[in-house]
C-alpha cells in the first residue's frame, strides 16, 4: 500500500514537473518571438512605471501618460483602478500601439482595497497567520475584480523605532513573526498561480532595511552591520521570496553607503545570486532620480548605476526612458541587461495571463467572488482579534451597561481615522463610527457624549489633517470643550475616553519626535481623571505610544489601532465583554522617547542592566524596562502557565527536544491566549540576543480548562549567521522560555550535543 502511494505521488510530481516545464517552454517561445520584434526603445518602455496622477508619494507626478502609452514608452501604471478605467487604458494599448503589450496595473493595496481591514501592525497583533492569509486572499479578489494586477505589499520591513510613521504598515519588531506574516501575505495574494484571475501579484518592500531609518525620520539614512542585517532585518524579505513573491521594491535608503536602488551587492549578489530571486525588481517612487540627491552623480550616471545594479523597473523618475537609449549606444549599459529586465517584466505579464486577457479579472460577472457577508465576518474577526487590552485594573472592563457611561473624545464620532492612512479605494464615508456602533449594538444603554478636545493640537491641525477627510475642525476653544466633557463625566459612573492619532499621523512621511498623546488630548484626560470617575482609555493609533502617565493614572487601557471598517462594532463588543480581548502587541511600547530603540531581543552586553549597580546598561532617569513588552496583551480571564517540561535536556542533531507547557484558564470566562516560545543561545562565536521568538500558538480555553501546548525545538531553529555570515548552529547550552509575553521567565535549559 505504502509503495503504491509513493509511486502515485512520484507519478504526480513527475507529471506536475512536466507540465511546469512545458508551460515554461511555451512562455519562452512566446516571449522570444515577442522580444524578437521589439525595438530597443520598446523594450526600455516596458521598464517604465508611471502614476496616473493621484496618491502622489514623491516630488513629481507623471505627465502625458496616455500619449506615452501610445508611443510604447510605458510598461505599467499605478494609482488607477475600476473596470472602466483599466479597460479604457488596455483598449488604448490594443488599438493604438504597435505591439499591443498589455499594461501592468499596480496600486498600494496595503490592508484592503474597497473593504479596509485593520492596519498591518494590528493584523500582526492577532498572531493568527491563517487569518492574515485569508485577508490577503480576499484583498486580492477585490483588487483583481477592480482591474488591478499588482499590489505594492507586503511591507516586511523590520522596525524598532516607533517614531517612524510607517511602523503602522509593518508586522512589528520581530524577524520570525514578521517572516511568517510575510509568507502568509504572499500566499494569500498569489496563491501560487497568477493565472488565477482572482489573485494579484505581490511586491515585497522595501528592499532593504527601510525600517531602520535613523531617528525614525522617513527616507533617512541607514547604517547597519552585516551581522544585524543577516540575523534580524533580512529574513522577512527572504521568507517572502521563498514563499513565491513575484516582485520586490527597492527602498529609498542607502545600504552600506550605496542607495538600495543602485546597490549591486543588494540587488544582484544577494537577491539574485544568493537568494535565487527570479521575479522583477521595481524602484520605489522616484528613487532612481533621488540618487542624484544622494550624491551618486548626474542623471545618466544614476541611471547607469541602477540598471547595472539589477533594477528592472523605474517608478516615476522616467530616467530609464530618457537615458538608456544613449547609455546602450555608448556601451555603458549592455543591451542584454535591458533585455533581461524587459523579459522579467514580460514574464510577469505572461504569468498573470495578460497576453490572453488584457482585461484580466474584470471580465465576466461584475463584482468579486467573496460575498460581502463573508468579508464582513472576516474583517470583524480581524478587528476583534487585533485589539489589545494593555491594562485593566480593578476589572474596570468589561463595561456594564446598566451604568451611566460617558463617551468622550474626538475619535468617538470620527469616521476617517478607523481606516488608517492607506485606505486604497474605500469610501471612508461609509464607515460606521464607534458612536453609531454603540447606539445600534447597545440600544438600551445610558450613554452621553462630549467631544472634549480637537483631534490634533491647533498648531498641527492644518498641517496634518484636512476637513474634507473627516477631521472636523470645531471652532470652540479647548477650554470650553474640556469644561463640557468634565460636566458630562461628572454625571456618569464610568468615562470612556477615545483618543489617539489622526489617520495621517502614521503611515508614510509621518515621523513623530514625540509619540505621546498630543498635549490637548492629554489635558482632556487629566481633567477627566481629576473627576475621580473610573476611566477607560480607548486608543486609536498607528504606532506604539508613550503612555507612562496614562498607565500610572488610568484604570483600563485598550489599544484598538486603526481597526478598519468593522472597527467601531469590534470596539463596542470588546468594551462590553461580548468578545474577550486576545491581541498581543508586536512592538514594544517604550516609557518615553529616550528609551528608543527598545526591543525585546536585545544583546546582554558586558554590563547587563542591574538595579543594584550603577555601572550597567541603563538610563538613570527612567525605569529601564519597557512600559509594555513585546507579546503583551491581557484578557478578561487569566491564564496560568505550568513550568516548562522538556522531553530531554539533551538535543542531538537528529533528535529534537519537545518542550511542553500546561496552560490553564483560571478565570471565570472563556478566552484565547497566544502561547509564545523563546530561545536564548547562552554562548556563541558571536554575541546572541537574550531571547528570540521561535514559535507560538493561539489557543482557546473555556473557564477552568487546561491544555498542554507542545513545541518541538529542532537544531535548525538554533541557527544564526556567524561572523563569516554562515548560517550555522553551535553546540552548547540554550534556554527555552514559554509564556504569554516576551517578559516571561518560565524557563528550562537544554544542551545541543
Ligand atoms: C512610496 C512608498 O514608499 C511605497 O511604499 C509605495 O508603494 C510607493 N510610494 C507607491 O505609491
Amino acid at each position: 500500500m505504502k509503495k503504491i502511494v509513493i509511486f502515485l505521488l512520484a507519478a504526480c510530481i513527475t507529471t506536475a514537473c512536466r507540465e511546469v516545464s512545458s508551460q515554461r517552454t511555451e512562455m519562452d517561445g512566446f516571449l522570444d518571438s515577442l522580444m524578437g520584434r521589439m525595438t530597443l526603445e520598446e523594450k526600455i518602455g516596458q521598464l517604465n512605471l508611471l502614476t496616473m496622477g493621484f496618491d502622489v508619494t514623491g516630488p513629481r507626478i507623471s505627465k502625458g501618460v496616455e500619449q506615452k502609452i501610445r508611443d510604447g514608452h510605458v510598461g505599467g501604471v499605478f494609482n488607477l483602478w475600476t473596470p472602466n478605467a483599466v479597460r479604457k487604458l488596455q483598449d488604448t494599448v490594443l488599438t493604438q500601439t504597435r505591439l499591443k503589450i498589455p499594461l501592468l496595473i499596480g496600486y498600494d493595496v496595503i490592508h484592503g482595497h474597497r473593504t479596509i481591514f485593520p492596519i498591518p501592525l494590528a493584523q500582526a497583533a492577532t498572531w493568527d497567520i491563517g487569518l492574515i492569509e485569508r485577508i490577503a486572499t480576499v484583498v486580492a479578489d477585490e483588487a483583481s475584480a477592480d482591474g488591478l494586477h499588482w499590489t505594492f505589499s507586503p511591507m516586511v520591513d523590520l522596525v524598532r523605532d516607533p517614531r517612524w510613521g510607517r511602523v503602522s504598515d509593518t508586522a512589528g519588531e520581530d524577524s520570525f513573526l514578521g517572516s511568517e506574516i510575510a509568507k502568509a501575505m504572499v500566499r494569500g495574494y498569489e496563491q501560487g498561480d497568477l493565472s488565477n484571475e482572482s489573485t494579484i501579484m505581490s511586491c515585497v518592500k522595501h528592499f532593504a532595511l527601510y525600517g531602520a531609518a535613523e531617528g525614525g525620520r522617513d527616507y533617512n539614512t541607514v547604517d547597519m552591520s552585516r551581522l544585524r542585517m543577516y540575523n534580524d532585518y533580512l529574513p522577512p524579505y527572504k521568507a517572502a521570496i521563498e514563499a513565491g513573491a513575484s516582485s520586490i521594491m527597492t527602498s529609498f535608503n542607502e545600504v552600506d553607503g550605496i542607495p538600495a536602488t543602485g546597490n549591486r551587492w543588494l540587488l544582484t549578489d544577494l537577491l539574485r545570486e544568493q537568494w535565487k530571486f527570479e521575479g522583477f525588481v521595481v524602484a520605489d517612487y522616484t528613487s532612481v532620480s533621488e540618487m542624484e540627491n544622494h550624491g551618486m552623480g548626474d542623471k545618466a550616471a544614476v541611471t547607469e548605476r541602477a540598471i547595472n545594479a539589477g533594477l528592472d523597473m523605474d517608478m516615476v523618475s522616467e530616467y530609464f526612458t530618457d537615458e538608456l537609449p544613449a547609455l546602450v549606444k555608448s556601451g555603458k549599459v549592455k543591451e542584454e541587461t535591458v533585455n533581461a529586465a524587459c523579459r522579467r517584466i514580460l514574464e510577469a505579464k505572461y504569468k498573470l495571463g495578460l497576453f490572453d486577457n488584457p482585461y484580466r479579472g474584470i471580465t465576466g460577472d461584475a463584482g468579486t467572488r467573496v460575498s460581502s457577508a463573508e468579508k464582513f465576518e472576516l474583517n470583524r474577526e480581524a478587528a476583534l482579534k487585533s485589539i489589545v487590552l494593555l491594562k485593566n485594573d480593578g476589572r474596570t472592563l468589561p463595561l456594564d451597561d446598566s451604568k451611566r457611561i460617558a463617551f468622550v473624545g474626538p475619535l468617538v464620532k470620527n469616521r476617517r481615522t478607523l481606516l488608517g492612512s492607506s485606505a486604497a479605494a474605500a469610501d471612508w464615508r461609509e464607515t460606521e463610527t464607534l458612536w453609531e456602533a454603540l447606539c445600534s449594538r447597545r440600544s438600551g444603554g445610558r450613554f452621553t457624549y462630549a467631544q472634549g478636545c480637537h483631534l490634533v493640537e491647533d498648531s498641527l491641525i492644518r498641517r496634518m489633517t484636512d476637513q474634507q477627510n473627516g477631521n472636523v475642525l470645531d471652532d470652540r476653544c479647548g477650554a470650553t470643550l474640556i469644561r463640557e466633557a468634565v460636566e458630562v463625566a461628572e454625571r456618569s459612573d464610568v468615562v470612556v475616553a477615545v483618543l489617539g492619532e489622526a489617520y495621517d499621523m502614521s503611515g508614510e512621511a509621518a515621523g513623530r519626535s514625540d509619540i505621546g498623546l498630543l498635549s490637548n488630548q492629554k489635558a482632556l484626560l487629566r481633567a477627566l481623571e481629576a473627576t475621580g470617575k473610573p476611566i477607560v482609555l480607548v486608543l486609536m493609533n498607528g504606532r506604539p505610544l508613550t503612555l507612562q502617565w496614562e498607565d500610572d493614572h488610568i484604570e483600563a487601557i485598550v489599544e484598538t489601532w486603526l481597526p478598519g471598517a468593522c472597527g467601531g462594532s469590534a470596539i463596542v463588543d470588546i468594551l462590553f465583554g461580548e468578545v474577550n480581548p486576545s491581541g498581543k502587541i508586536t512592538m514594544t511600547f517604550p516609557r518615553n522617547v529616550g528609551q528608543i530603540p527598545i526591543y525585546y531581543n536585545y544583546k546582554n552586553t558586558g554590563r547587563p542592566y542591574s538595579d543594584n549597580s550603577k555601572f550597567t546598561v541603563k538610563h538613570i532617569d527612567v525605569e529601564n524596562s519597557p512600559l509594555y513588552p513585546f507579546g503583551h496583551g491581557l484578557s478578561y480571564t487569566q491564564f496560568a502557565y505550568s513550568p516548562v517540561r522538556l522531553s530531554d535536556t539533551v538535543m542531538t542533531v537528529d533528535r529534537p527536544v519537545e518542550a511542553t507547557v500546561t496552560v490553564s484558564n483560571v478565570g471565570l470566562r472563556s478566552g484565547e491566549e497566544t502561547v509564545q516560545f523563546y530561545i536564548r543561545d547562552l554562548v556563541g562565536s558571536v554575541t546572541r540576543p537574550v531571547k528570540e521568538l521561535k514559535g507560538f500558538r493561539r489557543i482557546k480555553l473555556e473557564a477552568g480548562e487546561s491544555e498542554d501546548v507542545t513545541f518541538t525545538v529542532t537544531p535548525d531553529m538554533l541557527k544564526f549567521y556567524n561572523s563569516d555570515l554562515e548560517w550555522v548552529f553551535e553546540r552548547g547550552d540554550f534556554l527555552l522560555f514559554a509564556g504569554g509575553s516576551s517578559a516571561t521567565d518560565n524557563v528550562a535549559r537544554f544542551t545541543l550535543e
Side-chain angles (χ1 to χ4, degrees), residues 600 602 641-646 659-661 675-682 689-696 709 711 713 734-750:
Y600 85 92
Y602 57 88
Y641 283 74
S642 73
V644 185
R645 305 185 294 276
L646 296 180
T660 302
V661 70
V675 182
Q676 301 157 40
F677 295 95
Y678 297 86
I679 284 180
R680 175 167 181 186
D681 185 350
L682 284 167
V690 294
K691 254 175 209 169
E692 286 179 296
L693 182 74
K694 292 291 172 179
F696 55 89
V709 181
F711 169 62
V713 192
F734 295 83
L735 298 181
L736 184 134
F737 300 83
S741 89
S742 62
T744 177
D745 53 9
N746 185 13
V747 66
R749 188 178 178 122
F750 67 91

Side-chain angles (χ1 to χ4, degrees), residues 33 74 84 100 112 160 170 183 196 214 294 297 328 335 361 387 435 437 444 517 532 560 567 576 634 655:
S33 137
V74 183
N84 279 345
K100 309 185 192 327
R160 288 175 170 172
T170 76
K183 289 190 278 185
N196 167 351
E214 282 178 3
H294 278 280
V328 171
E335 192 159 353
I387 293 175
W435 182 254
L517 286 179
T560 74
F576 287 89
L634 305 173
R655 203 182 64 239

Side-chain angles (χ1 to χ4, degrees), residues 81 207 232 265 639:
W81 65 92
F207 194 57
D232 301 337
W265 172 78
F639 298 101

Side-chain angles (χ1 to χ4, degrees), residues 534-607:
I535 298 186
V536 175
L537 172 60
V538 172
L539 294 165
M540 292 182 195
N541 49 272
R543 52 153 63 81
L545 300 175
T546 48
L547 299 168
Q548 184 66 67
W549 184 89
E550 292 77 358
D551 188 73
D552 290 342
H553 294 87
I554 304 297
E555 284 76 7
I557 307 180
V558 188
E559 177 56 81
T560 74
W561 312 108
L562 305 171
C566 293
S569 69
I571 296 170
V572 171
D573 285 0
I574 293 277
L575 292 179
F576 287 89
E578 294 298 332
V579 177
N580 196 348
S582 60
K584 304 257 190 188
I585 53 175
T586 63
M587 246 192 118
T588 303
F589 277 50
R591 293 176 189 276
N592 64 26
V593 166
Q595 285 191 307
I596 298 169
I598 181 167
Y599 46 92
Y600 85 92
N601 45 353
Y602 57 88
K603 297 287 185 79
N604 204 38
T605 79
R607 294 187 177 195

Side-chain angles (χ1 to χ4, degrees), residues 141-418:
D141 184 61
E142 264 193 5
S144 57
D146 224 358
L148 295 171
H149 315 135
W150 187 24
T151 174
F152 302 137
S153 169
M155 175 160 157
V156 306
D157 306 304
L158 191 107
V159 290
R160 288 175 170 172
D161 190 334
R163 290 172 298 182
W164 192 49
R166 296 202 84 175
V167 302
S168 59
D169 296 343
T170 76
E173 75 188 35
D174 186 65
S175 198
F176 173 73
L177 180 63
S179 298
E180 293 302 300
I181 291 175
K183 289 190 278 185
M185 291 179 80
V186 170
R187 286 195 301 265
Y189 289 141
E190 300 205 11
Q191 290 162 49
D193 177 14
L194 288 177
S195 72
N196 167 351
E197 294 200 355
S198 62
T199 63
I200 40 173
M201 179 165 66
S202 57
C203 183
V204 181
K205 67 188 190 185
H206 307 78
F207 194 57
L209 319 181
Y210 183 41
E214 282 178 3
R217 289 197 293 281
D218 213 355
Y219 319 121
N220 205 3
T221 294
V222 170
D223 196 1
M224 187 183 294
S225 73
R226 287 275 159 107
L227 210 57
R228 175 170 276 190
M229 246 186 239
Y230 272 72
N231 280 312
D232 301 337
Y233 281 76
L234 293 179
Y237 305 105
K238 186 162 185 270
I241 286 165
E242 284 168 2
S246 298
S247 70
I248 192 164
M249 185 186 291
T250 62
S251 53
F252 289 118
N253 55 279
E254 62 184 62
V255 173
D256 263 347
I258 299 174
T261 304
N263 191 315
R264 190 173 165 86
W265 172 78
L266 189 70
L267 304 185
T268 298
D269 299 359
L270 182 68
L271 185 63
R272 297 224 178 268
E273 282 159 23
Q274 291 181 41
W275 293 359
K276 312 283 176 227
F277 177 62
E278 289 182 352
F280 73 89
V281 184
V282 62
D284 200 350
Y285 204 104
T286 57
S287 67
V288 174
S289 54
E290 286 169 30
M291 281 198 282
E292 289 185 76
N293 288 340
H294 278 280
M296 303 308 288
D298 64 10
K299 192 173 178 184
V302 298
T303 307
E304 178 189 338
R305 175 181 281 279
I307 190 135
N308 284 338
L311 184 77
D312 299 311
M313 195 175 223
D314 173 7
M315 186 191 291
V316 179
S317 299
E318 296 183 67
Y319 277 24
F320 276 14
T321 41
D322 287 355
E323 297 294 321
L324 280 178
L327 285 167
V328 171
K329 203 173 268 164
S330 69
K332 288 188 172 148
V333 173
K334 295 197 182 102
E335 192 159 353
E336 301 90 82
T337 309
V338 172
N339 287 344
C342 173
R343 186 160 194 120
R344 289 188 194 111
I345 290 155
L346 294 177
E347 273 188 11
K349 293 184 176 183
Y350 186 94
K351 288 178 184 158
L352 283 159
L354 285 172
F355 290 106
D356 289 333
N357 181 10
Y359 311 109
R360 178 193 191 272
I362 59 173
T363 50
D365 293 345
T368 66
R369 282 143 285 254
V370 184
S371 72
S372 27
E374 225 178 301
K375 275 188 260 190
F376 178 83
E377 272 317 309
L378 185 66
N379 203 357
R380 198 176 131 70
E381 182 185 348
L384 287 166
K385 287 183 167 171
S386 69
I387 293 175
V388 184
L389 180 61
L390 293 172
K391 179 182 175 191
N392 192 20
D393 275 5
R395 306 223 166 140
T396 310
L397 285 173
L399 297 171
D400 167 359
D401 54 8
S402 67
K403 300 254 172 71
R404 295 168 305 162
I405 310 174
F407 279 80
V408 175
L411 288 169
V412 176
K413 294 190 175 178
N414 185 295
R415 244 173 257 291
R416 178 64 188 85
T417 295
L418 291 156

Side-chain angles (χ1 to χ4, degrees), residues 94-151:
L94 295 182
T95 56
Q96 299 182 47
T97 66
R98 193 177 81 84
L99 291 168
K100 309 185 192 327
I101 301 174
L103 292 164
L104 190 60
I105 317 279
Y107 191 35
D108 283 297
V109 179
I110 307 298
H111 52 112
H113 180 58
R114 290 191 180 270
T115 307
I116 299 299
F117 293 85
I119 54 166
L121 190 61
Q123 288 187 36
T126 68
W127 296 62
D128 188 334
I129 303 299
L131 174 71
I132 293 171
E133 181 170 341
R134 274 186 285 141
I135 292 174
T137 309
V138 168
V139 169
D141 184 61
E142 264 193 5
S144 57
D146 224 358
L148 295 171
H149 315 135
W150 187 24
T151 174

